[in-house]
Amino acid sequence: MPNIATFRFLLLWMLFLCFACTARAAQRGPFAMRISCGARQNVQTKPTTTLWYKDFGYTGGIPTNAKTSSYIAPPLKTLRYFPLSEGPSNCYNINRVPKGHYSIRIFFGLVAQARATDEPLFDISIQGTQIYSLKSGWTTQDDQAFTEAQVFLMDGSVSICFHGTGHGDPAILSIEILQIDNKAYYFGSQWSQGIILRTVKRLSCGFGQSKYGVDYGADPRGGDRFWQHTETFGEDSDRPRSVETRIKQASHPPNFYPETLYRSALVSTSSQPELTYTLDVDPNKNYSVWLHFAEIDNSVTAEGQRVFDIMINGDVAFKDVDIVKLSGDRYTALVLNTTVVVNGRTLTIALSPKDGSFAIINAIEIMEVIMAESKTLSDEVMALQKLKKALGLPPRFGWNGDPCVPQQHPWTGADCRLDKSSSKWVIDGLGLDNQGLKGFLPNDISRLHNLQILNLSGNSIQGPIPSPLGTIASLQVLDLSYNFFNGSIPESLGQLTSLQRLNLNGNFLSGRVPATLGGRLLHGASFNFTDNAGLCGIPGLPTCGPHLSAGAKVGIGLGVSFTLLLLITGSVCWWKRRQNILRVQQITARAAPYAKARTQFSRDIQMTRHNNNNNAENGPILLSR
């Protein structure tokens, strides 16, 4: 029994922990990141105490004090600008962004010391797709002080780039990355992760003020949208209405519109029954139009009392719209959406009454539909980044972001084409001639598998020609002339069967020109090896000495090494023998005095013995007294 009780307790505890984790995750809410550009520390802005993170480690550029151009911009005191000397393109690269659907908003600014006429114009891209080009006069239009787009981020990061157009230095006040529902702004079968929706206009009609979602107390999963207030579409053409009544079915997924949005509206008049809104747009583009309704007029109490058609640029988009019937009740939100192609420069929305009361509308959203650009093959991007580092490319080249997209702003010197098999962009040409480049050519250049033309002539590049160049089978033109390349010409270049022009003149190359290259001259190829004092082996160059195969060169090298080893070994042995002889001589020299004394002593004893022997033969000596 105690075991059963313990098991039940553990089970209940685990359920409690799971519930707590779920509740904590629900409280955490969607991912939100706001950057105060140029700020050296985190900032909170009033009245909502919104947190803005400091700007550190995301990009280059220069931080400075800001001068905002619109009252709707966040009250931040700094910005970051990108002078042309740092290159035509500069990017914010932000990592650790969870996969999902995001609303990304970028506010522009002016440098505090700038004159009123210093209005920078530049392009903006997100994930390699250009979404917006600033238009002249944006500093005097409140709703043009920012751009906003709904984008899918699926690789854990986001790249937001600013491309100079020759009209001032891009200056960025803030960046917001706000997670929204994965199905937000779903508009039909064409909708996919490859679609970007850029906000063109978002209007709140009738009474009220321009507000953000946070000011409305809206659900943060809506992305904190900005709703620009309009009290009329035209003088005497409409009149505002508003109520305090609760609106049903407003803040629901996937779009989470604020309920307050539907408590005010514009209604047409008897003098002009048709309610018309006209907006200037860019021609030859697709636009997704979202129309918001709620029946808040007390004079309409049932179905059939207000019916109207909705026409866009003269074509009927929605026929017989009855808000009460379509929404199911009064004071209930209704959203209608359609996508249209606009050939001209205006988009006109007209609500034409048919039965009953006049036309009514609460809010309008218009978004440009943009196909996301395919990116460059990651392997080729890494190869170019290695090349950038090896050659020490100066900032003016602006090799930031994606090399091939947006197509309006490719990397300097890079030619791209779309590879149909992979649906990715690849590099098929690289022209960096006469750019004052130094450094060396890395082996990673061979990762540009689709390269057809490589021109690095007229620089100061040093070191050997990398042998892996011979693996780029598509290479047709290789021009490395007038640099400081040294060493021999790699045999691998002879494998380039597509090579039509090879210029290696004006370097410090040496050795025999590979026979495979020399033979190609008979097939119409154009090769230039002149001005390399050490090259030989083909007509026009000095004659080489006896040519040795690679195996012979290795054998000679081994033989020379063995001979040197024998000489060194013999020298060591001779030196050791000599040292032994010297040591013996030294010992002998030290022992000489002792040996001489010993020899003299032995000689004395022998003489004494000799004398004694003589006496014995003659008898004893007689002593007389």
Side-chain angles (χ1 to χ4, degrees):
M1 293 297 293
N3 290 337
I4 295 175
T6 302
F7 176 75
R8 287 178 176 175
F9 173 78
L10 290 174
L11 182 61
L12 290 172
W13 178 249
M14 290 175 66
L15 290 173
F16 170 77
L17 289 177
C18 290
F19 174 79
C21 291
T22 303
R24 192 177 297 112
Q27 292 175 357
R28 191 180 299 123
F31 177 89
M33 183 177 190
R34 294 177 169 91
I35 299 174
S36 174
C37 298
R40 290 181 171 84
Q41 58 187 9
N42 295 345
V43 179
Q44 281 189 309
T45 53
K46 298 178 180 180
T48 56
T49 64
T50 301
L51 175 63
W52 300 83
Y53 290 103
K54 63 182 179 181
D55 184 6
F56 178 77
Y58 301 117
T59 186
I62 301 174
T64 189
N65 294 329
K67 177 172 64 177
T68 57
S69 62
S70 171
Y71 79 95
I72 70 171
L76 301 171
K77 297 180 179 179
T78 62
L79 58 71
R80 185 176 292 271
Y81 74 98
F82 302 94
L84 185 60
S85 59
E86 296 209 358
S89 297
N90 289 274
C91 304
Y92 268 80
N93 296 303
I94 303 167
N95 298 317
R96 299 181 182 178
V97 179
K99 293 181 180 180
H101 198 195
Y102 288 86
S103 174
I104 299 178
R105 182 163 55 213
I106 302 132
F107 267 94
F108 325 125
L110 295 172
V111 176
Q113 298 80 14
R115 299 168 297 178
T117 56
D118 293 339
E119 181 184 63
L121 304 178
F122 51 94
D123 296 340
I124 298 171
S125 66
I126 298 176
Q127 299 294 82
T129 300
Q130 183 162 314
I131 64 163
Y132 190 60
S133 298
L134 273 73
K135 298 176 177 61
S136 181
W138 66 266
T139 53
T140 61
Q141 302 292 323
D142 289 327
D143 63 334
Q144 292 186 24
F146 70 92
T147 190
E148 176 188 86
Q150 282 72 48
V151 184
F152 278 94
L153 304 177
M154 305 307 295
D155 59 1
S157 65
V158 58
S159 176
I160 303 171
C161 299
F162 312 103
H163 311 276
T165 60
H167 301 279
D169 301 326
I172 310 302
L173 182 70
S174 65
I175 295 175
E176 297 170 84
I177 306 169
L178 310 175
Q179 191 171 17
I180 57 178
D181 193 282
N182 280 346
K183 286 289 186 179
Y185 292 104
Y186 177 87
F187 61 83
S189 59
Q190 294 181 333
W191 186 92
S192 68
Q193 291 185 5
I195 292 293
I196 296 175
L197 293 178
R198 180 184 70 85
T199 304
V200 178
K201 183 69 70 173
R202 187 175 279 125
L203 291 177
S204 171
C205 304
F207 289 115
Q209 296 178 342
S210 298
K211 290 184 179 181
Y212 288 96
V214 65
D215 300 320
Y216 278 122
D219 193 307
R221 289 172 290 180
D224 195 22
R225 290 161 288 204
F226 174 73
W227 298 89
Q228 183 182 7
H229 168 253
T230 180
E231 196 168 351
T232 180
F233 290 159
E235 190 175 351
D236 297 329
S237 67
D238 47 39
R239 61 187 188 278
R241 294 284 176 87
S242 66
V243 296
E244 296 296 327
T245 308
R246 176 77 181 271
I247 304 297
K248 294 172 287 187
Q249 297 182 9
S251 189
H252 286 182
N255 293 318
F256 301 96
Y257 292 111
E259 181 182 347
T260 307
L261 187 69
Y262 299 92
R263 289 179 177 164
S264 66
L266 285 176
V267 181
S268 60
T269 63
S270 56
S271 61
Q272 194 169 339
E274 190 173 88
L275 194 59
T276 304
Y277 173 71
T278 300
L279 175 70
D280 292 334
V281 295
D282 294 330
N284 304 316
K285 296 183 182 296
N286 294 337
Y287 292 91
S288 183
V289 180
W290 299 74
L291 306 173
H292 299 262
F293 304 96
E295 189 52 79
I296 62 174
D297 196 328
N298 292 331
S299 64
V300 177
T301 59
E303 296 180 13
Q305 295 182 4
R306 189 195 304 276
V307 180
F308 53 90
D309 291 340
I310 301 176
M311 292 174 290
I312 299 179
N313 282 358
D315 297 325
V316 177
F318 300 96
K319 189 175 179 63
D320 298 329
V321 175
D322 186 329
I323 299 172
V324 176
K325 180 179 180 179
L326 293 175
S327 67
D329 200 359
R330 300 169 63 208
Y331 306 110
T332 304
L334 171 68
V335 182
L336 300 178
N337 165 250
T338 187
T339 302
V340 297
V341 180
V342 179
N343 297 317
R345 293 188 173 274
T346 58
L347 189 152
T348 301
I349 302 170
L351 284 64
S352 181
K354 296 181 67 176
D355 299 320
S357 300
F358 305 114
I360 186 173
I361 192 166
N362 300 75
I364 299 174
E365 293 177 284
I366 300 172
M367 299 183 178
E368 180 186 349
V369 180
I370 303 172
M371 292 294 296
E373 291 269 18
S374 297
K375 294 186 177 182
T376 306
L377 277 175
S378 58
D379 203 42
E380 302 210 352
V381 175
M382 287 188 285
L384 287 184
Q385 289 172 342
K386 292 280 188 180
L387 184 66
K388 173 184 177 180
K389 183 177 181 180
L391 296 181
L393 261 64
R396 61 182 173 82
F397 276 81
W399 276 27
N400 301 306
D402 190 288
C404 299
V405 291
Q407 295 181 54
Q408 301 90 332
H409 300 282
W411 283 8
T412 301
D415 294 326
C416 306
R417 67 174 176 84
L418 188 63
D419 180 55
K420 294 182 180 179
S421 61
S422 64
S423 296
K424 298 284 188 180
W425 289 94
V426 296
I427 310 297
D428 66 355
L430 200 57
L432 298 174
D433 51 305
N434 300 301
Q435 296 294 332
L437 304 180
K438 299 180 180 180
F440 64 96
L441 194 57
N443 289 336
D444 297 86
I445 191 73
S446 63
R447 297 166 73 175
L448 298 175
H449 301 295
N450 300 278
L451 202 61
Q452 296 180 11
I453 299 174
L454 176 60
N455 186 353
L456 299 174
S457 63
N459 289 294
S460 300
I461 305 172
Q462 303 179 20
I465 298 173
S467 180
L469 262 179
T471 64
I472 308 178
S474 58
L475 202 59
Q476 299 176 13
V477 176
L478 176 59
D479 193 342
L480 304 180
S481 60
Y482 299 107
N483 278 283
F484 294 96
F485 287 105
N486 54 38
S488 60
I489 299 175
E491 294 277 352
S492 62
L493 295 189
Q495 303 171 11
L496 299 175
T497 56
S498 299
L499 196 62
Q500 295 298 311
R501 190 167 81 241
L502 174 63
N503 292 338
L504 300 180
N505 50 303
N507 283 284
F508 294 90
L509 300 171
S510 60
R512 181 183 293 272
V513 175
T516 49
L517 288 176
R520 297 279 299 286
L521 294 172
L522 301 176
H523 299 282
S526 172
F527 294 170
N528 192 340
F529 304 108
T530 60
D531 296 329
N532 286 280
L535 282 183
C536 61
I538 64 171
L541 295 179
T543 303
C544 295
H547 180 66
L548 296 175
S549 65
K553 292 178 180 177
V554 172
I556 292 173
L558 290 175
V560 170
S561 300
F562 183 71
T563 302
L564 287 174
L565 181 62
L566 287 177
L567 289 173
I568 292 171
T569 303
S571 299
V572 171
C573 292
W574 177 85
W575 180 79
K576 285 186 175 181
R577 186 171 181 276
R578 177 65 179 166
Q579 291 298 108
N580 290 335
I581 293 171
L582 291 174
R583 190 179 298 112
V584 170
Q585 291 176 345
Q586 290 174 356
I587 292 172
T588 303
R590 287 197 301 268
Y594 170 76
K596 183 177 180 182
R598 182 179 177 86
T599 303
Q600 184 65 41
F601 178 73
S602 298
R603 197 174 289 166
D604 291 343
I605 291 175
Q606 291 175 3
M607 289 297 295
T608 303
R609 286 178 178 173
H610 177 72
N611 292 332
N612 287 340
N613 288 336
N614 291 336
N615 291 337
E617 292 177 356
N618 298 325
I621 298 176
L622 296 178
L623 297 177
S624 60
R625 295 184 179 181

